[in-house]
Amino acid sequence: MKRRLELLQQESLQAALYDEERHMMREALLDYIHQNPAPSASYRSTGRSTFLKRNRNRLLVMAIILLAVASVVFTAQRSAPGDTLYVVKRGVNERAQGMFAFSAEAKARHQVGMMEHRLVEVIELDASGTLTPERHEALRADFKDHIGVFNTHLKSLIDTGKEQNIAKAALVNAYFNTTLNKNARGVRFFLDINTQTIVQ
Amino acid sequence: MPSSKKTEEFIKLYDDMADQLFRHCFFKVSNRELALDLVQETFSRTWEYIASGKKVNNVRGFLFKVANNLIIDEYRKKKVVSLEKLQERTGFDAPVQDHKKTMFSVEVDNILKHINKLDKKYRDVILMRYVNDYSPKEIASILGESENAVSVRINRGLKKVQEMINVHTSDL
């Protein structure tokens, strides 16, 4: 049996293409390939291209969603109280910015930034004649809150008793005063709010 | 523009696999011209599939699947004379490199006759093992089965062939 199988293996090799047949078939195949090109086809597809092919639609949807979210966030940044997107500006944009403030100094600086936003908003609303009493009151309340939180962070720096932190508190306080001076036109809308800090 | 790299890869695949596919087709359809057409069609269809952007993980297995499907189509068209009938009539007629038609040796002719009496599941693996000279591992990869399952099937098939030979010999 074994010998028969060995013979079968040997003699089977005789069943092969003639050289001219192999050549002609090869040429015909090349013609066919040139008539039916495959610019991106491969039977050895890479993981990357396969991933892109399989998830093309999902990636497209994700890209559209990301683009839409980015557009909303960007537009919201320019919104003023009373605008539909103002909620996004306060609830998403400013909150997200605050998430990256880890130290008391950074948190205090973040609050100064928020105060400046409120001051700019009140100036712009007044200039456009849309500063209604409700909007004014809302901005005033927010501004007051920012000052309160700012003072808390400032105090936590000073309470450490370290010279280094006290110096930081002085610097942040200077930044606060500069911001108020820079937006003095806005501050006059919040004259009833005490802008004295514990450093002063 | 077609990718020249892809074309080169595919032509290399043709160079590597053309004879093996021809042998596979030839031993199944027992008609040289038809086997040539089947090989040509197998490669064209495989390229067409790849060109459409579809992924092929096991390209050798894919070629054999395409070839087997084409062979089945041919059987359905009833254009093929069965190997067994051909052997009974004239003995097996094999093509050779020097363009001369020669017969297989009596022993090989005899064992082929018995192999072709086996069920398809045994016949296919035995032909792949001893005609195409594939290892059980390669056959397993082509058929998408385990190496163990292929080895078991080859051994069982060979036992059946041995039994047929024994019966045939005792009858003489």
Side-chain angles (χ1 to χ4, degrees), chain A residues 56-122:
Chain A
R56 193 168 48 193
N57 290 341
R58 273 184 226 161
L59 288 171
L60 196 65
V61 170
M62 279 173 66
I64 290 168
I65 291 171
L66 278 175
L67 199 66
V69 169
S71 302
V72 168
V73 167
F74 182 75
T75 312
Q77 193 58 31
R78 293 162 172 267
S79 64
D83 293 344
T84 315
L85 290 176
Y86 189 69
V87 180
V88 178
K89 181 182 181 179
R90 294 298 316 277
V92 179
N93 297 17
E94 292 183 359
R95 193 166 289 181
Q97 289 163 17
M99 284 169 68
F100 295 99
F102 299 109
S103 65
E105 183 195 2
K107 285 173 182 171
R109 282 183 180 276
H110 173 65
Q111 289 305 317
V112 177
M114 299 301 99
M115 280 178 232
E116 187 169 21
H117 286 172
R118 304 297 83 82
L119 292 169
V120 170
E121 283 163 6
V122 79

Side-chain angles (χ1 to χ4, degrees), chain B residues 47-135:
Chain B
W47 175 257
E48 203 175 315
Y49 187 86
I50 291 167
S52 69
K54 290 168 186 161
K55 190 188 168 193
V56 181
N57 285 326
N58 176 0
V59 74
R60 284 199 318 164
F62 188 84
L63 282 169
F64 276 95
K65 272 184 192 165
V66 172
N68 282 338
N69 288 340
L70 289 171
I71 290 165
I72 290 166
D73 287 347
E74 284 301 323
Y75 276 119
R76 283 181 184 148
K77 288 183 205 165
K78 299 187 177 184
K79 284 184 179 174
V80 178
V81 180
S82 80
L83 186 62
E84 198 180 334
K85 279 183 185 171
L86 196 78
Q87 284 175 317
E88 281 172 1
R89 235 175 26 224
T90 61
F92 201 81
D93 197 9
V96 288
Q97 296 286 11
D98 63 0
H99 295 212
K100 291 176 185 171
K101 289 187 174 185
T102 56
M103 307 281 274
F104 280 135
S105 65
V106 176
E107 279 177 297
V108 168
D109 196 34
N110 190 36
I111 197 169
L112 270 172
K113 199 184 286 180
H114 291 303
I115 288 170
N116 280 290
K117 284 178 187 169
L118 290 170
D119 286 347
K120 186 179 178 299
K121 65 176 182 177
Y122 297 118
R123 188 182 61 217
D124 281 355
V125 289
I126 289 177
L127 287 178
M128 287 176 106
R129 177 76 186 90
Y130 295 102
V131 170
N132 278 324
D133 202 23
Y134 283 130
S135 68

Side-chain angles (χ1 to χ4, degrees), chain A residues 1 3 7 9 11-12 14-18 20-22 25-26 32-33 36-38 41-43, chain B residues 6 9 11 14-15 19 23 32 36 40 47-48 50 56 95-97 99 104-105 107 130 133 162:
Chain A
M1 182 69 171
R3 199 176 64 83
L7 270 175
Q9 273 178 311
E11 293 186 19
S12 295
Q14 293 176 44
L17 292 166
Y18 300 146
E20 59 267 35
E21 284 172 342
R22 187 181 295 105
M25 207 184 285
R26 197 177 196 274
Y32 187 82
I33 287 170
N36 301 276
S42 174
Y43 48 86
Chain B
K6 306 289 179 299
E9 281 178 2
I11 290 301
Y14 167 81
D15 292 339
D19 274 328
R23 209 169 288 135
R32 181 178 185 79
L36 285 171
Q40 177 86 57
W47 175 257
E48 203 175 315
I50 291 167
V56 181
V96 288
Q97 296 286 11
H99 295 212
F104 280 135
S105 65
E107 279 177 297
Y130 295 102
D133 202 23
Q162 182 67 64

Side-chain angles (χ1 to χ4, degrees), chain A residues 2 17 27 32 38 46-47 77 81 87 94 108 110 113 117 127 144 157 164 176 186 191 197 199:
Chain A
K2 193 182 171 189
L17 292 166
E27 290 302 308
Y32 187 82
T46 64
Q77 193 58 31
V87 180
E94 292 183 359
H110 173 65
H117 286 172
K144 193 178 176 183
L157 274 173
Q164 194 184 359
F176 168 74
L191 287 176
T197 63
V199 175

